[in-house]
Amino acid sequence: MDHVARIQAEWRRERPDVDVTPQGVIGRLHRLAAHLTGELVTVYRGHGLEEGEFDVLATLRRTGEPFERAPGELARHTMVTTGAMTKRLDRLERAGLVTRRRSRADGRARVVALTPAGRDLIDAAFTAHMRNEHRLLAALPADQAVLLEEILTRWLTEFEP
């Protein structure tokens, strides 16, 4: 019996009038997310990055040449506030991984771009990240991983149409 099953058994004993079935899915997803986050963050930190910094560099890298976006676009693509984005960009710029400059198209706008060092770092970190995700997913047979992805994709559309 796992941790969630023990909690459910206690609630069933104490509150038999309440259906605790959803805890089986929600509770396990919540616990699994915490474990997965810990495993992912370990890889980021191995490359000297925090989770949010990895996210910013990855967002810039996957845009393709010239590997740049406006700060507001970065905030939307990483789902953080512009204030949080500014702090991340400050750290990344101090580390020499990104630069900020005025937009050539609109002098009032700013652009954030990967530096060559930033590109090298995110390429190495992303390769390690994917290797880690493959390792984590290897606990499931391939057909179950595919099914789980389909289920989660369908469910996520309820929150992110």
Side-chain angles (χ1 to χ4, degrees):
M1 182 180 292
D2 72 3
H3 183 77
V4 174
R6 282 191 297 279
I7 290 171
Q8 286 178 294
E10 290 168 355
W11 277 119
R12 285 185 181 113
R13 183 191 67 232
E14 294 301 314
R15 291 292 311 271
D17 58 311
V18 177
D19 178 11
V20 296
T21 304
Q23 278 186 325
V25 173
I26 304 296
R28 286 183 181 92
L29 278 175
H30 184 73
R31 291 179 62 81
L32 185 60
H35 288 292
L36 291 174
T37 297
E39 294 285 334
L40 299 176
V41 167
T42 298
V43 171
Y44 307 148
R45 289 189 180 139
H47 291 271
L49 297 169
E50 293 298 321
E51 186 175 21
E53 295 165 344
F54 175 90
D55 200 16
V56 169
L57 295 177
T59 300
L60 287 168
R61 177 62 175 95
R62 70 178 182 259
T63 64
E65 290 280 354
F67 309 115
E68 60 186 36
R69 285 188 186 266
E73 284 182 288
L74 281 171
R76 282 190 301 280
H77 283 273
T78 58
M79 298 182 290
V80 298
T81 65
T82 54
M85 181 57 62
T86 298
K87 289 178 184 176
R88 289 178 184 178
L89 293 176
D90 288 346
R91 286 191 304 267
L92 291 168
E93 189 172 37
R94 278 194 305 272
L97 302 173
V98 302
T99 59
R100 288 185 271 200
R101 63 172 170 72
R102 296 230 179 262
S103 168
R104 291 180 184 100
D106 177 357
R108 296 168 296 163
R110 306 279 288 168
V111 173
V112 178
L114 274 179
T115 64
R119 182 176 175 184
D120 290 345
L121 178 62
I122 193 57
D123 282 351
F126 182 72
T127 299
H129 172 65
M130 284 294 94
R131 191 170 35 252
N132 188 40
E133 285 196 351
H134 279 281
R135 177 187 65 83
L136 293 168
L137 209 51
L140 294 177
D143 62 326
Q144 288 184 2
V146 169
L147 179 59
L148 181 58
E149 182 181 6
E150 290 171 4
I151 291 167
L152 293 174
T153 299
R154 190 174 324 123
W155 193 9
L156 193 56
T157 63
E158 293 296 316
F159 299 94
E160 298 175 0

